[in-house]
Amino acid sequence: MSTPYDAIIIGGGHNGLVAACYLAKAGKRVLVLERYHTVGGAAITEEIHPGFRVSVASYSMSLMRPEIIEELRLADYGFEVYAKSPSYFMPFPDGQHLFLYAGDRERSKREIAKFSQRDAEAYDAWEDFWDRCCDIIEPTLMQPPISLAELAQRFEDAGCVDDWRRLMLLSTSDLLGEFFESEYVKAAMAPQSLISTMGGPATPGTPYVYLMHAIGRAIHGRRGVWGYVKGGMGTVTRTLAAAARDLGVEIRTSVEVGEVLVEQGAATGVVLTSGETIRGRAVLSNADPKRTFLKLTPAGALPEEFRRRIERNYRIGGTVYKLNLALEELPRYLAAPPDVPPEVISRGTVDIAPTLGYLERAWDDFKRGEPSREPFIEIFSQSPTDPTLAPPGKHVLSCFCQYFPYEP
Ligand SMILES: Cc1cc2nc3c(=O)[nH]c(=O)nc-3n(C[C@H](O)[C@H](O)[C@H](O)COP(=O)(O)OP(=O)(O)OC[C@H]3O[C@@H](n4cnc5c(N)ncnc54)[C@H](O)[C@@H]3O)c2cc1C
């Protein structure tokens, strides 16, 4: 029998690949097994029509830790990011619009002042609130997770108990009401609290989702700025795979793990659906917890209570579908200023989220198990800033549509 690997990783998504790189850097012999024909998972770029390439699922970059980008020297393999500017364009049904510029408070405030001078002034307090929360939470991101009680203690130690209340207990609508008066401004801020989330603006706890949009630093270390990866999200996993291979990681694609081998209470390898057995001293899973613990791991190998909790307490239903399009030309929004060309409007994310009430109604449909009749839509197009993704003069565009019930 061949020597077992030190670690076998089920799945070649970005998390599996990052784990593979760090294990290999630590001198371990690592094998990654990916069922799809390419690594990448939800972070891939694919051709959807001849000459039109798109980030199929994940599309916008901020949360990848700069430490990882640097330590794995991803730039040497072609990893390159740039900020979206404007960050957001919000068209409203009455013909008005609002641009937001992450990282440029003064410019965003000038936009907000079109709707409310008071809200423009409040925008500083809003941004300061997120900065304080990020200052406390960001240092925990590269550590083993701390408990909720410990996190609450850190807010208390920093004299920020009221920020903790806002972040964890309020709904997005209530939080926005503590800062802003204009319904337009509130609607412009709300989407980043809701995206991908099982909740509407009136759902307590949703502000924490906004925090995830304020804390990232992947765009040249600038906190809260979102951008694109040149070549689409596939570049993230392509460069990670290249770094992994250079570190000695073996990557096999088009191979599906059917079972984790467990002997005397420890994982000792995997069996592929082809019947091949591969031995390893440790098995890491990049697949979701339900698949990992309920489908791939033999039932008797885990405590019954643990399995029950994964089955019942761990929810992985989906709320969105994504529509990827190849276009002759970019859309023209009736609410866009006439002197700003569509190529500039579409550089940022366009949110169809005209009021908090609209968003809540979209969520209400989902709660009844129905697709939203008037969905929240986040529209984005990378081709205006990355011409490698579409033929000259043409474009790719995606719509991230929410709320649509999906149970895997
Ligand atoms: C539509 C959509 C849009 C998103 N947009 C963004 C965004 O803009 N920005 C952002 O930061 N995040 C975004 N996300 C979230 C982000 O994509 C995910 O959090 C991230 O991709 C998860 O990475 P992962 O490596 O943990 O898992 P995955 O990417 O899911 O990778 C898991 C891998 O395991 C493989 N696998 C599973 N089972 C087996 C098996 N039995 N054998 C072999 N291989 C197996 C799968 O094929 C897959 O390649 C989005 C997610 C979705 C769905």
Side-chain angles (χ1 to χ4, degrees):
M1 194 189 295
S2 57
T3 328
Y5 290 90
D6 292 317
I8 297 172
I9 301 179
I10 306 171
H14 65 77
N15 282 316
L17 292 169
V18 167
C21 287
Y22 279 95
L23 285 167
K25 267 167 87 78
K28 304 295 179 196
R29 187 164 163 255
V30 184
L31 172 68
V32 174
L33 299 167
E34 168 56 51
R35 64 181 171 173
Y36 198 46
H37 67 80
T38 176
V39 293
I44 50 172
T45 308
E46 286 192 323
E47 191 170 62
I48 52 165
H49 188 68
F52 293 83
R53 293 163 60 239
V54 74
S55 294
V56 179
S58 179
Y59 51 100
S60 186
M61 169 60 83
S62 180
L63 291 169
M64 191 170 178
R65 292 306 301 169
E67 297 91 328
I68 294 173
I69 297 167
E70 258 170 51
E71 285 167 14
L72 299 181
R73 298 187 299 102
L74 296 187
D76 294 354
Y77 297 92
F79 180 92
E80 197 182 326
V81 291
Y82 57 95
K84 286 191 281 180
S85 183
S87 310
Y88 295 98
F89 169 69
M90 314 284 303
F92 294 108
D94 62 3
Q96 299 195 74
H97 69 268
L98 176 60
F99 287 106
L100 288 173
Y101 299 88
D104 188 342
R105 279 193 194 193
E106 294 311 314
R107 208 166 171 197
S108 297
K109 281 163 70 175
R110 284 198 294 278
E111 283 289 313
I112 292 170
K114 292 191 310 194
F115 295 94
S116 159
Q117 186 55 43
R118 192 178 156 273
D119 285 357
E121 284 153 26
Y123 189 67
D124 276 327
W126 171 256
E127 289 284 294
D128 290 346
F129 161 66
W130 292 112
D131 275 344
R132 285 194 303 277
C133 293
C134 291
D135 284 346
I136 295 169
I137 293 180
E138 195 183 354
T140 70
L141 295 181
M142 294 295 279
Q143 301 169 352
I146 61 172
S147 72
L148 208 54
E150 210 179 323
L151 194 57
Q153 188 62 49
R154 291 200 187 185
F155 274 79
E156 191 166 346
D157 293 347
C160 298
V161 173
D162 200 42
D163 292 336
W164 176 254
R165 172 189 69 82
R166 285 171 157 161
L167 184 67
M168 303 304 280
L169 301 180
L170 289 194
S171 68
T172 292
S173 308
D174 286 342
L175 178 68
L176 287 165
E178 290 195 6
F179 287 89
F180 302 114
E181 62 181 11
S182 158
E183 290 306 316
Y184 295 92
V185 175
K186 290 182 195 175
M189 302 297 167
Q192 301 320 307
S193 266
L194 304 176
I195 198 143
S196 295
T197 304
M198 288 230 179
T203 308
T206 43
Y208 192 84
V209 180
Y210 191 106
L211 179 108
M212 285 297 125
H213 292 89
I215 205 167
R217 282 190 190 271
I219 308 299
H220 312 300
R222 295 168 63 201
R223 188 152 80 186
V225 173
W226 284 73
Y228 287 124
V229 185
K230 197 156 183 224
M233 285 304 221
T235 302
V236 176
T237 44
R238 181 180 57 73
T239 55
L240 278 171
R245 286 196 182 95
D246 277 358
L247 288 163
V249 174
E250 211 179 306
I251 300 175
R252 288 175 62 185
T253 53
S254 304
V255 282
E256 181 167 5
V257 172
E259 189 185 333
V260 176
L261 284 174
V262 180
E263 286 160 336
Q264 294 173 347
T268 55
V270 297
V271 183
L272 304 185
T273 50
S274 64
E276 184 185 350
T277 297
I278 308 173
R279 295 276 168 185
R281 293 193 179 88
V283 176
L284 286 74
S285 180
N286 187 193
D288 68 74
K290 281 196 193 281
R291 183 185 305 270
T292 301
F293 296 120
L294 303 180
K295 292 191 182 149
L296 299 181
T297 310
L302 293 167
E304 198 43 47
E305 174 60 11
F306 177 80
R307 274 180 64 87
R308 195 193 62 76
R309 286 171 66 87
I310 294 289
E311 202 169 354
R312 300 211 196 137
N313 301 13
Y314 199 89
R315 288 168 284 274
I316 61 168
T319 52
V320 301
Y321 80 82
K322 195 160 170 245
L323 185 66
N324 294 318
L325 302 166
L327 298 183
E328 283 290 336
E329 59 180 296
L330 287 169
R332 288 160 197 275
Y333 297 94
L334 293 175
D339 55 335
V340 182
E343 287 73 17
V344 175
I345 298 287
S346 287
R347 274 186 203 158
T349 299
V350 180
D351 274 336
I352 307 297
T355 62
L356 293 180
Y358 176 100
L359 291 165
E360 195 65 34
R361 283 192 296 280
W363 165 239
D364 284 343
D365 288 338
F366 180 96
K367 276 188 289 189
R368 285 191 298 272
E370 292 162 16
S372 300
R373 282 163 290 183
E374 291 186 303
F376 155 46
I377 308 177
E378 186 152 292
I379 304 167
F380 57 93
S381 172
Q382 193 176 344
S383 49
T385 50
D386 185 347
T388 66
L389 296 173
K394 309 214 168 161
H395 290 282
V396 283
L397 180 137
S398 301
C399 299
F400 185 95
C401 307
Q402 192 170 328
Y403 299 83
F404 292 85
Y406 173 73
E407 283 301 327

